[in-house]
Amino acid sequence: MGYDRKVYATVILNTRQGGIGNGLTYAVPSNVFVSIGSLIKAPLRKRLIEGIVTDLHREKPEGDYDVKDIAKVLSDEPLLTKNQIETTRWIAEYYVCPLRQALGLWLPGGEWEKLLPEKEEFVHYTIQLNSLVTKKYGKKQAALLDYLQGKEWVRWEEVKEATGVGRDILKRFLEQGLVESKFELRRNAIHGVSITTNDVSLTPRQTAAHKAITLDPRPTLLFGITGSGKTEIYAALIRDAVSEGKSAILLLPEILLTENFVGRFQKLIDREAIAIIHSRLTPSQRREAWRRCRDGSIRLVIGSRSALFSPLSNLSLIIIDEEHEWTYKNEQMPRYHAGKVAEYMSNPLRHAERSGGGAVAEPERSRSTSQGNQQSPLKLMRGPSTPPVAEPVLSAVEGAPGSAQDDVAQHDMKLVLGSATPSVESWFKAKNGTYQLVELPERYGGALLPSVQIVDLGTLQFGRFYPLSPTLINGIRLRLQKHEQVILFLNRRGFATSLLCMECRYRFEDPETRLPYTVHFRGQHPYLLSHHTGGTLEIPAKCPKCGAANLRPVGAGTQKIESILSELFPEARILRGDADTLSSPEKMRVLLETMKEGRADILLGTQSVVKGLDLPKVTLAAVILADIGLSLPHFRAGERVFQLLTQLTGRSGRRDPGEVIIQTFRPKALEVELASRHDVRTYLDQELVERQKVHYPPDTEMVRFVFTENAEKESRVFFERARLLDSSGSRGLPSSLEENKAGRVEKLFISRAPSLFGGGKVWQVFLRGKGVRESLKNLPEFNGVVDVDPIECL
Ligand SMILES: [Zn+2]
């Protein structure tokens, strides 16, 4: 088989070699068959390197050089499906990164060949010999022949086990032609088999929500207050998919929560068909999970952000729980957001958009060639958008063997985003109809929302129990007396947020970031730790500036609160849950079990603790300091605080009437007030209006450019150039820009500032406006990080 006309393939090679991140062009020899997604080997310099075909086309690339041939095809079936390749291309375009980087999201590190399905050998007898003939063979040889006698193809592993015959004997028979052998894909026992699912019982309200979600093809924003039973709806949707022979992905914001969910879902689906996938798996664990996803053994993947790129066959459902969480944004290249990518994957209109030359796709073919020029990410962005393959080649490919294993047609893919406090972005999309909005406004089992008390810290006199107010202390005491449980939330780990000299006000700072060191305790021994670099420092006896021996830790962290609590309530059993104590999902599971079984009284923790917990015996939840984060110069700061407060108020009274105490210096702040009234809707509506007023996302697009260290001058030049994109200004335009007025932005907001975490050494430029992404191609070359739709802005 082959092509009657010359066909060329764009191939992404498995190499980090610079400059070829968008692929090289190779010719497809006439006796070779490849399709998009095929794993092949091709020559680069003097080596053969494995690679993946991302595009097929008729045109020989420009330039006067020899196009080399693909050397070898490594598997009949493509390693990645066309849909996966298309998603890769979209990620590279949208997030401005080389294709190679985006492709890496799908493929575990190391050799890609190792991901191919394992093959096993089958043998059979070519001639039926009678027993007289077998007699002239030795004992072992006869045993082999006898075993094969009268059988069809038998697995070689089975023959070996049954007869004890080694490969050397088989080899002789193969040479003589008495026995034949063939290799076939190892099929998992449950491949293609529908696996048992158990029923989910839903309340009438949940049943209605489930039905509404199933009937609407759009992505669904499932807005359900804490305790309204979103998980039951997830379970019903997953059961639907799995019982129809399809598969599903459930994304969670935090690896620590996966164990908890697996426990709930293995009652529903065979545990063997569930995989937990996250970035902490070893490469070999990841490869194993990868193969099992692809061969159909796995029907449900539960995991963090990166699990979105599991190669499940027949994927028909993606659920993103706690969709507002910032952990869904990857803070390394490619800086994708799992929700955004999932939305693309589930969008039934994406093919139409692409061919219509939509906002994202550029109608220009990839110019990457074997000459492999060194290219900066921004320059790459002008090239990599390869349009759909030309029709004749495409149809030739579709008729090919192997391409049948492509995913479900895209309109069968459903996306569900669940949250009790949707992000402003998702709320915006639900309001304009991009998302279907399904609400669960009541708590499961008729439980009431807790009453909320706000304690104004500014009006109190504190003694040594600061920052625990008398109201909070009494609340805890009452719960301890009644043998009920308490959750305390403080979003600062460690003992103290900084160490100050009381004489001269000198503050110990990490020289690298210029941010204060946090005071931590290792046993009885205090030391300084930078939360941003991980650097540590011993605490000196005296101030390095004035020499006074009067250093004091200020700003309480979880360790400090723990020590105050044990002083106040020596009999209480206290658990502390923060990044220092919860180093693995297993530890989180143990912590939760300890709480559920009533073997602890107080759970004190950072945000890991407030995410998605369901602890029925908790009747008091308190925020020790709600203001943390509120004063940060970040347009999402208020939203973040609101989300945390609302999440926390949901943690109390899951079964019995609960109470919430919010301690704050700003009792009148909108976030605090609305969270205390459980009024998510009003908050989101107001915040959306506010963002529109000041032209921040989701009203505008935003792109962040992070410059390399000490590139202040470069960032200034870039900033000046970016200002020219603003069409409202009267500045003169260089000719290239004049020609391309379409690439300009009507109302462009540009800012430039050193990063808070870079200690003044790392500069950032922010562009904000409608159609900013489109205008990027008019910017000068740039060596640094491009962050589209940034979450991190400090
Ligand atoms: Zn001092």
Side-chain angles (χ1 to χ4, degrees):
M1 204 180 324
Y3 303 102
D4 44 357
R5 279 170 56 206
K6 196 83 182 154
V7 171
Y8 297 92
T10 306
V11 176
I12 304 284
L13 295 174
N14 190 2
T15 166
R16 302 254 170 229
Q17 207 155 314
I20 56 173
N22 277 322
L24 301 175
T25 302
Y26 289 94
V28 182
S30 57
N31 60 340
V32 160
F33 198 93
V34 296
S35 45
I36 289 178
S38 286
L39 183 62
I40 56 108
K41 278 203 166 172
L44 179 69
R45 314 258 147 75
K46 279 176 181 148
R47 290 167 58 211
L48 277 186
I49 294 180
E50 57 175 4
I52 293 211
V53 174
T54 56
D55 198 5
L56 291 170
H57 41 92
R58 296 274 185 210
E59 307 92 69
K60 186 175 180 289
E62 284 171 8
D64 187 24
Y65 63 94
D66 282 337
V67 178
K68 291 193 179 114
D69 278 358
I70 284 175
K72 193 176 166 192
V73 180
L74 294 175
S75 69
D76 295 338
E77 287 185 19
L79 188 65
L80 293 177
T81 64
K82 257 193 324 226
N83 277 325
Q84 288 163 343
I85 297 286
E86 208 165 295
T87 304
T88 304
R89 210 177 274 142
W90 179 85
I91 291 172
E93 280 162 9
Y94 190 87
Y95 290 105
V96 193
C97 72
L99 271 175
R100 170 71 184 84
Q101 237 173 32
L103 195 70
L105 294 169
W106 295 102
L107 299 162
E111 267 178 85
W112 295 339
E113 204 176 340
K114 286 191 183 155
L115 298 170
L116 289 172
E118 289 171 299
K119 291 193 172 177
E120 52 188 356
E121 191 173 21
F122 288 80
V123 291
H124 100 139
Y125 223 158
T126 50
I127 321 159
Q128 300 294 323
L129 299 172
N130 60 42
S131 50
L132 281 176
V133 184
T134 9
K135 278 206 179 101
K136 70 175 197 198
Y137 291 102
K139 205 172 145 198
K140 283 196 163 179
Q141 293 165 320
L144 172 66
L145 294 176
D146 282 341
Y147 191 80
L148 295 178
Q149 191 79 35
K151 290 193 178 85
E152 292 292 317
W153 290 95
V154 191
R155 274 174 54 232
W156 169 240
E157 285 295 316
E158 179 191 321
V159 179
K160 229 166 52 178
E161 225 165 81
T163 62
V165 172
R167 180 133 197 125
D168 50 325
I169 292 174
L170 174 68
K171 201 178 157 213
R172 217 169 305 139
F173 283 129
L174 289 172
E175 281 162 10
Q176 289 168 6
L178 268 178
V179 175
E180 273 183 340
S181 109
K182 66 173 179 184
F183 285 86
E184 283 199 344
L185 295 185
R186 189 187 293 273
R187 286 285 179 203
N188 197 291
I190 55 171
H191 176 80
V193 177
S194 66
I195 55 169
T196 43
T197 54
N198 289 321
D199 234 1
V200 186
S201 60
L202 300 179
T203 64
R205 189 113 221 170
Q206 290 167 339
T207 308
H210 171 243
K211 196 171 165 204
I213 294 171
T214 325
L215 292 177
D216 198 312
R218 287 174 297 168
T220 303
L221 176 62
L222 179 59
F223 172 29
I225 60 169
T226 49
S228 59
K230 289 188 289 292
T231 314
E232 277 67 35
I233 293 176
Y234 300 162
L237 292 165
I238 290 168
R239 179 212 48 200
D240 294 348
V242 172
S243 62
E244 285 167 20
K246 293 169 182 165
S247 54
I249 294 176
L250 170 64
L251 296 186
L252 302 173
E254 171 77 60
I255 305 173
L256 295 174
L257 296 171
T258 48
E259 289 274 342
N260 196 21
F261 270 84
V262 172
R264 294 171 84 155
F265 286 115
Q266 64 188 6
K267 292 181 198 128
L268 196 74
I269 307 168
D270 205 343
R271 176 67 183 85
E272 285 290 290
I274 305 176
I276 304 176
I277 296 182
H278 50 71
S279 51
R280 289 196 209 159
L281 297 182
T282 66
S284 79
Q285 284 172 326
R286 245 202 106 187
R287 273 198 298 271
E288 170 65 14
W290 203 95
R291 276 197 301 260
R292 292 179 65 226
C293 282
R294 193 172 179 277
D295 75 13
S297 322
I298 295 297
R299 297 302 176 76
L300 172 61
V301 164
I302 300 177
S304 51
R305 182 177 70 223
S306 62
L308 179 64
F309 301 98
S310 304
L312 285 165
S313 58
N314 274 334
L315 177 63
S316 72
L317 173 68
I318 300 172
I319 297 171
I320 303 185
D321 190 34
E322 312 279 350
E323 65 88 24
H324 60 276
E325 288 291 349
W326 291 10
T327 47
Y328 287 119
K329 170 89 167 153
N330 193 22
E331 293 295 355
Q332 274 142 30
M333 293 288 273
R335 299 189 160 234
Y336 69 90
H337 190 287
K340 183 91 190 168
V341 178
E343 193 184 324
Y344 171 80
M345 286 163 74
S346 70
N347 182 2
L349 298 174
R350 67 182 208 196
H351 301 278
E353 272 172 16
R354 281 186 65 84
S355 52
V360 180
E362 274 188 37
E364 198 185 309
R365 181 162 290 278
S366 169
R367 294 273 174 255
S368 325
T369 68
S370 302
Q371 276 145 353
N373 298 325
Q374 199 72 40
Q375 288 175 316
S376 79
L378 258 192
K379 261 176 96 185
L380 287 174
M381 206 199 63
R382 293 162 199 163
S385 24
T386 346
V389 180
E391 271 317 311
V393 182
L394 186 65
S395 51
V397 169
E398 272 171 351
S403 60
Q405 212 224 353
D406 219 328
D407 349 23
V408 182
Q410 285 310 297
H411 54 268
D412 281 342
M413 173 98 80
K414 179 75 192 181
L415 171 63
V416 176
L417 306 157
S419 179
T421 51
S423 64
V424 175
E425 268 89 353
S426 295
W427 189 244
F428 179 65
K429 286 181 183 170
K431 292 213 125 185
N432 72 18
T434 309
Y435 292 167
Q436 173 200 25
L437 179 64
V438 172
E439 290 183 75
L440 287 174
E442 280 161 25
R443 282 193 133 181
Y444 184 75
L448 296 172
L449 282 165
S451 63
V452 180
Q453 213 186 138
I454 299 177
V455 174
D456 184 353
L457 293 176
T459 63
L460 295 174
Q461 290 288 328
F462 279 98
R464 63 203 167 94
F465 298 133
Y466 176 84
L468 300 190
S469 67
T471 311
L472 180 54
I473 293 172
N474 288 335
I476 299 172
R477 183 166 293 128
L478 185 69
R479 270 31 184 228
L480 292 175
Q481 281 162 6
K482 296 197 326 195
H483 301 287
E484 293 171 352
Q485 290 177 322
V486 177
I487 293 183
L488 299 177
F489 168 67
L490 179 66
N491 213 8
R492 291 201 290 223
R493 67 190 169 98
F495 185 80
T497 49
S498 55
L499 185 65
L500 275 189
C501 167
M502 297 325 271
E503 301 295 324
C504 74
R505 297 276 143 184
Y506 173 83
R507 189 174 70 161
F508 286 78
E509 284 173 356
D510 177 6
E512 234 175 86
T513 60
R514 291 190 210 163
L515 288 171
Y517 275 117
T518 308
V519 183
H520 279 246
F521 267 86
R522 200 183 290 116
Q524 297 296 310
H525 178 76
Y527 66 100
L528 297 173
L529 172 73
S530 161
H531 283 181
H532 299 283
T533 64
T536 59
L537 194 71
E538 287 298 312
I539 294 180
K542 287 174 183 161
C543 170
K545 198 175 153 203
C546 73
N550 191 4
L551 303 176
R552 187 176 297 171
V554 295
T558 45
Q559 280 187 347
K560 166 82 176 174
I561 303 292
E562 188 182 17
S563 74
I564 297 177
L565 286 172
S566 33
E567 192 187 333
L568 278 168
F569 310 109
E571 75 289 358
R573 295 162 301 174
I574 304 164
L575 291 180
R576 181 161 59 86
D578 54 33
D580 299 317
T581 62
L582 298 173
S583 50
S584 70
E586 175 58 17
K587 286 194 173 152
M588 182 71 172
R589 195 183 58 75
V590 171
L591 182 137
L592 291 184
E593 249 174 46
T594 312
M595 278 300 275
K596 276 189 183 161
E597 289 166 6
R599 286 183 282 117
D601 306 301
I602 302 173
L603 172 57
L604 160 71
T606 51
Q607 49 181 303
S608 333
V609 173
V610 287
K611 280 181 198 162
L613 295 193
D614 185 2
L615 298 169
K617 289 177 193 139
V618 170
T619 56
L620 171 64
V623 189
I624 291 171
L625 190 53
D627 309 65
I628 296 172
L630 261 186
S631 56
L632 286 176
H634 191 314
F635 74 97
R636 295 184 210 268
E639 182 185 5
R640 184 78 190 132
V641 169
F642 179 80
Q643 286 164 353
L644 281 170
L645 293 179
T646 307
Q647 289 287 319
L648 191 91
T649 57
R651 298 282 82 84
S652 174
R654 303 283 279 206
R655 210 173 54 194
D656 301 315
E659 190 192 0
V660 171
I661 295 173
I662 298 177
Q663 300 199 123
T664 175
F665 285 105
R666 294 156 79 169
K668 293 281 163 241
L670 188 71
E671 291 79 12
V672 175
E673 241 183 56
L674 290 172
S676 75
R677 300 210 305 256
H678 313 286
D679 195 350
V680 179
R681 227 167 215 285
T682 306
Y683 177 75
L684 288 172
D685 284 342
Q686 292 206 12
E687 181 66 17
L688 198 52
V689 170
E690 206 49 46
R691 299 262 184 99
Q692 272 158 346
K693 238 189 268 167
V694 293
H695 308 286
Y696 267 100
D699 184 57
T700 52
E701 287 175 335
M702 188 163 173
V703 180
R704 175 172 78 134
F705 300 86
V706 187
F707 287 76
T708 44
E709 252 183 46
N710 297 319
E712 189 192 342
K713 189 170 164 234
E714 197 193 335
S715 77
R716 199 177 332 118
V717 172
F718 186 87
F719 174 75
E720 285 306 325
R721 182 67 190 270
R723 276 162 60 147
L724 299 176
L725 296 175
D726 184 1
S727 63
S728 62
S730 56
R731 302 168 205 107
L733 289 172
S735 56
S736 65
L737 272 183
E738 261 171 29
E739 286 159 20
N740 197 344
K741 288 203 170 108
R744 295 170 66 209
V745 185
E746 201 169 310
K747 218 178 200 172
L748 181 69
F749 299 87
I750 315 171
S751 57
R752 188 177 76 100
S755 158
L756 191 60
F757 297 135
K761 279 188 275 182
V762 177
W763 283 78
Q764 316 182 90
V765 171
F766 292 92
L767 298 190
R768 212 158 24 97
K770 293 192 168 130
V772 158
R773 282 197 61 262
E774 266 300 276
S775 68
L776 295 185
K777 52 181 168 290
N778 292 322
L779 287 175
E781 270 189 55
F782 163 75
N783 286 313
V785 172
V786 185
D787 190 1
V788 177
D789 306 335
I791 291 277
E792 204 56 80
C793 289
L794 296 174

